[in-house]
Amino acid sequence: MNINTIILSFLTATAAQTVKAQTFNEVSYSPKATTFSLVTSPEVKKVNVLISDADNNEAQLVKSMKRVGAGKWKLTVKNDLKGKYYLFGVYNNAQPDLTPGVFAKAVGVNGQRGAIIDLKDTDPEGWSEDKRPELRNPVDLVIYEMHHRDFSIDYSSGIKNKGKFLALTEPKAIDHLKRLGVNAIHILPSFDYASTDESQPDKPQYNWGYDPLNYNVPEGSYSTNAADPKARIKEFKQMVQALHKAGIRVILDVVYNHTFSIDGSNFQKTYPGYYFRHRPDGTYSDGSGCGNETASEKPLMREFMVESVKYWVNEYHIDGFRFDLMGLYDVDTMNELRAALDALPGGRSILMYGEPWQGGGSQLHRYEANKANLAMLSERIGIFCDNTRDVIKGGCFDAREPGYVEGRPGSFWDIGGAVAAWCLSDKLPAHSPSQIVSYVSAHDNFTLWDKLMLVRYARPEYTAADSAALAQNRLAAGIYLTCMGMPFLQAGEEFARTKKGQGNTYRSSPSLNRLDWKRAAQFHGLVDYYRGLLGLRAQFPRLSASDAASPAAIRFFSLEQPLVGWTLPAAPGDGAAWRALCVFYNPTEEEKRIRLPDGQWKLLSDGVSSALWKGPSRVCGGEVTLLPYSATIFGQV
């Protein structure tokens, strides 16, 4: 190990003792003065602020910042700097590292230079009256995950602002979400990320956005004018405002666990080495699989995360956060984030959930926010439940591995665990349904349709003869949408979205990732099936209960394998449409006869039509038939 590595490791290990955390507020504007503040390594001897008239100009004004503490710098310029651009020049070495800082709130094209704006100028009309849609409890949400370009870029979408934030202000987009029964959208990373050239908006380029650059500024390529620092902010707010008016909450996918690169990171330019974890030999730990991982346990990184989520809530009215690779964060940081959100007005209804895993070997030496440590996490921090996903449709990394709906032997045992949100199983230490996000497809890995087709036919293309795969799709939806916990679906799952059998399409062509809205007409029966199921779920609130007692009220039947059946009484006074639900899953290609519990039961869904509950009563008793590949649902009358 060379001497530079030893020094870096020492500084990183002792930084918490040499710099105390402070609130990040790097540029504070008023017409009379603008204040700049920055936290750097205590070793830095000089920091300048370089102010220019345009995004790509040389600095017209260079001001030295004043040291106000170990590693703390401040400068107030008593002029109206609105419309100017700035950079910090941090002298970590003989030549300064130029950066807009770690908490830039407005930037120019491609996020290389900070912009000085009055954030009030970015508020759309009526923004101060914007309200978060009411919610009884977080599990009442039905989450629809989307990528801005995927959702609207294809000509078949009929949306004018294709691939932009403003697409989600248009009636066609909002009407589809509302008719489907969605009340929350999860937008893939929408902060300023590094891999898309915002200066070439017409160039065919694509990325999911998991390559953070400026964490607290919206991405410019989703704006109608990336060259205007105010446009991306205002248009993001217009999107949130329109969705809120429609009763739809907005969840932001956040990626604090790594940066796009190390040398290009604003963290590195302000405080080299500090924000990242290191191996014993001084090299960078790579638990993200992206070349680095941030160190959530360090005071400045933890505070950065706390201040960042609070900023998105306060400035952009965000309703929840999905944490990428949440297993790279320590449990204490996640619980502190939850507490910080709870302290905000209405903050207890702000959602938090994430991926309870890592992308590789990590140097995190504390309890990590993963499935094994659920009991240590706040019960209002949820996880993507890959147990539910994989038991229903099969492993996500092997295209040909079957799950319950494809007839995997023995898998029926774990279906019961999924139904009760794993609160009755020893496979997960879940103590509340609010900790479980129930799903079968997300942006990564195979779409549900492709997985079903690849298992059954080793090909993703659909023909009219493939009705069995369509029935299996309905069965998969029928299972996870009747499970306790919070339901989550990938955009387009409701009309058999395909990516031609490809899994990891994070930088594939837009033509492969885009939603083909013609399939919504081709698979209109499947769309109606999802719509009916979501409507049915809303009629029986106990499926969305967040208390630990509700899973314990589920009673499973002893049935011929691999059938699964269960019943759940309504909770007293919850306004349920039926006294109890009775649900059966048949993953075989044959009809099956079963006996209903005593009493009178209305057929709500037969596995083909999920909207029978809306029509005249068909009351059943005694023996009934389960269709092949079906989720059959009854309500006690």
Side-chain angles (χ1 to χ4, degrees):
M1 185 183 296
N2 63 39
I3 187 63
N4 289 332
T5 300
I6 293 173
I7 292 172
L8 176 61
S9 298
F10 174 76
L11 287 174
T12 300
T14 60
Q17 301 171 8
T18 57
V19 175
K20 294 185 181 295
Q22 71 170 34
T23 299
F24 291 89
N25 185 19
E26 290 179 351
V27 176
S28 178
Y29 166 82
S30 78
K32 293 183 178 180
T34 296
T35 298
F36 302 85
S37 57
L38 195 67
V39 177
T40 70
S41 163
E43 307 304 307
V44 169
K45 301 292 192 256
K46 180 180 179 182
V47 181
N48 289 336
V49 177
L50 294 74
I51 300 171
S52 58
D53 293 333
D55 192 6
N56 57 357
N57 281 3
E58 293 294 324
Q60 281 79 47
L61 181 65
V62 178
K63 290 279 190 177
S64 295
M65 299 189 77
K66 180 180 179 181
R67 188 195 298 270
V68 293
K72 296 180 180 180
W73 302 83
K74 197 167 187 177
L75 168 69
T76 298
V77 179
K78 294 182 178 180
N79 289 312
D80 189 349
L81 298 182
K82 183 192 287 189
K84 306 290 187 182
Y85 292 81
Y86 73 91
L87 284 168
F88 294 103
V90 183
Y91 282 82
N92 293 303
N93 297 292
Q95 296 299 315
D97 289 315
L98 300 179
T99 171
V102 301
F103 214 101
K105 297 174 182 176
V107 296
V109 172
N110 290 324
Q112 297 303 307
R113 195 182 296 260
I116 302 170
I117 66 170
D118 187 341
L119 281 166
K120 292 179 182 178
D121 293 342
T122 68
D123 292 347
E125 184 179 353
W127 184 241
S128 61
E129 285 77 46
D130 177 67
K131 294 184 183 300
R132 183 172 295 121
E134 292 185 5
L135 186 68
R136 184 181 52 182
N137 70 71
V139 190
D140 281 337
L141 291 177
V142 176
I143 302 170
Y144 190 83
E145 180 206 51
M146 67 170 65
H147 181 279
H148 291 288
R149 285 183 65 86
D150 289 358
F151 185 75
S152 57
I153 197 67
D154 194 70
Y155 76 94
S156 64
S157 71
I159 290 173
K160 177 182 176 182
N161 291 284
K162 290 180 169 51
K164 305 298 182 183
F165 294 131
L166 293 180
L168 289 170
T169 69
E170 296 187 33
K172 183 161 186 179
I174 289 176
D175 288 349
H176 177 77
L177 299 173
K178 289 183 67 175
R179 291 182 64 237
L180 188 60
V182 166
N183 58 7
I185 65 160
H186 159 156
I187 48 177
L188 264 63
S190 299
F191 49 70
D192 186 46
Y193 58 85
S195 57
T196 298
D197 185 352
E198 298 171 357
S199 70
Q200 301 186 64
D202 298 325
K203 177 184 176 181
Q205 50 186 326
Y206 184 90
N207 202 286
W208 283 341
Y210 291 93
D211 49 340
L213 184 60
N214 294 293
Y215 289 86
N216 300 294
V217 188
E219 164 62 19
S221 67
Y222 300 146
S223 166
T224 60
N225 184 6
D228 179 356
K230 293 183 294 185
R232 64 178 76 192
I233 298 174
K234 184 173 185 178
E235 290 170 6
F236 190 102
K237 290 177 177 179
Q238 288 174 298
M239 172 192 71
V240 172
Q241 184 182 48
L243 290 164
H244 280 179
K245 285 180 179 178
I248 299 170
R249 291 191 168 211
V250 182
I251 298 165
L252 186 65
D253 198 327
V254 288
V255 191
Y256 299 115
N257 65 78
H258 72 277
T259 60
F260 173 63
S261 67
I262 294 174
D263 291 340
S265 165
N266 296 318
F267 289 146
Q268 188 75 347
K269 291 177 179 179
T270 57
Y271 199 152
Y274 171 82
Y275 288 94
F276 300 96
R277 293 193 187 111
H278 301 262
R279 302 185 182 98
D281 65 359
T283 59
Y284 289 93
S285 183
D286 187 18
S288 69
C290 300
N292 65 84
E293 64 183 85
T294 56
S296 59
E297 67 276 14
K298 294 183 180 178
L300 288 179
M301 187 63 207
R302 179 179 291 179
E303 185 176 9
F304 174 81
M305 293 172 65
V306 169
E307 294 302 317
S308 180
V309 297
K310 287 166 58 179
Y311 179 70
W312 281 103
V313 170
N314 291 328
E315 186 64 35
Y316 292 95
H317 301 182
I318 286 295
D319 307 295
F321 299 91
R322 178 267 194 191
F323 290 83
D324 181 63
L325 296 181
M326 191 170 72
L328 284 175
Y329 309 129
D330 64 289
V331 164
D332 291 341
T333 293
M334 294 308 299
N335 286 336
E336 189 168 324
L337 284 164
R338 180 70 268 177
L341 291 174
D342 288 348
L344 298 176
R348 288 185 65 83
S349 74
I350 295 172
L351 196 62
M352 281 181 63
Y353 61 97
E355 296 176 303
W357 49 73
Q358 302 175 350
S362 170
Q363 291 295 306
L364 173 59
H365 298 308
R366 299 189 181 189
Y367 289 112
E368 63 191 68
N370 64 10
K371 293 190 297 184
N373 297 318
L374 267 181
M376 300 176 68
L377 284 168
S378 165
E379 66 178 27
R380 289 180 301 106
I381 298 176
I383 63 162
F384 279 97
C385 191
D386 53 335
N387 299 65
T388 296
R389 177 196 69 196
D390 291 352
V391 69
I392 293 174
K393 73 166 187 177
C396 68
F397 299 110
D398 184 348
R400 303 302 303 278
E401 180 185 329
Y404 178 76
V405 300
E406 299 112 334
R408 181 174 183 174
S411 57
F412 72 95
W413 290 110
D414 282 337
I415 291 295
V419 168
W422 303 95
C423 294
L424 307 180
S425 171
D426 59 4
K427 291 196 172 183
L428 279 180
H431 49 77
S432 167
S434 60
Q435 289 187 302
I436 300 299
V437 176
S438 298
Y439 77 115
V440 290
S441 72
H443 63 276
D444 46 8
N445 312 124
F446 304 106
T447 68
L448 173 60
W449 179 253
D450 285 351
K451 173 70 174 177
L452 294 171
M453 293 294 287
L454 289 167
V455 169
R456 191 171 186 87
Y457 303 109
R459 58 176 174 77
E461 294 83 5
Y462 173 76
T463 69
D466 296 330
S467 58
L470 197 54
Q472 288 175 334
N473 192 318
R474 291 194 299 268
L475 173 58
I479 297 172
Y480 85 87
L481 292 178
T482 52
C483 286
M484 301 198 78
M486 191 155 31
F488 170 106
L489 66 153
Q490 181 188 18
E493 182 188 304
E494 71 275 22
F495 47 79
R497 180 180 184 176
T498 179
K499 293 193 288 184
K500 310 302 182 185
Q502 301 299 310
N504 190 12
T505 60
Y506 76 99
R507 58 179 180 183
S508 299
S509 68
S511 62
L512 183 64
N513 282 287
R514 90 301 184 237
L515 293 189
D516 180 357
W517 285 91
K518 297 189 298 295
R519 292 175 75 88
Q522 181 185 6
F523 291 91
H524 63 88
L526 186 60
V527 177
D528 288 342
Y529 186 76
Y530 274 81
R531 182 181 300 133
L533 274 179
L534 292 175
L536 190 160
R537 184 183 178 93
Q539 295 292 313
F540 198 79
R542 201 169 195 185
L543 282 180
S544 299
S546 58
D547 62 288
S550 288
I554 297 173
R555 295 292 178 264
F556 291 94
F557 305 129
S558 178
L559 298 173
E560 167 193 353
Q561 298 180 13
L563 303 183
V564 174
W566 53 273
T567 186
L568 174 66
D574 70 355
W578 309 284
R579 292 165 54 198
L581 280 191
C582 184
V583 182
F584 297 94
Y585 309 133
N586 175 19
T588 75
E589 61 186 7
E590 301 171 348
E591 292 184 349
K592 297 290 184 179
R593 295 285 291 175
I594 55 93
R595 177 171 291 277
L596 288 169
D598 292 341
Q600 298 294 301
W601 298 88
K602 178 179 178 179
L603 180 62
L604 309 179
S605 173
D606 61 3
V608 175
S609 172
S610 61
L612 300 177
W613 58 274
K614 296 181 180 180
S617 296
R618 178 185 166 190
V619 178
C620 306
E623 284 198 350
V624 293
T625 299
L626 307 180
L627 297 177
Y629 305 119
S630 67
T632 307
I633 307 171
F634 300 89
Q636 189 173 33
V637 294

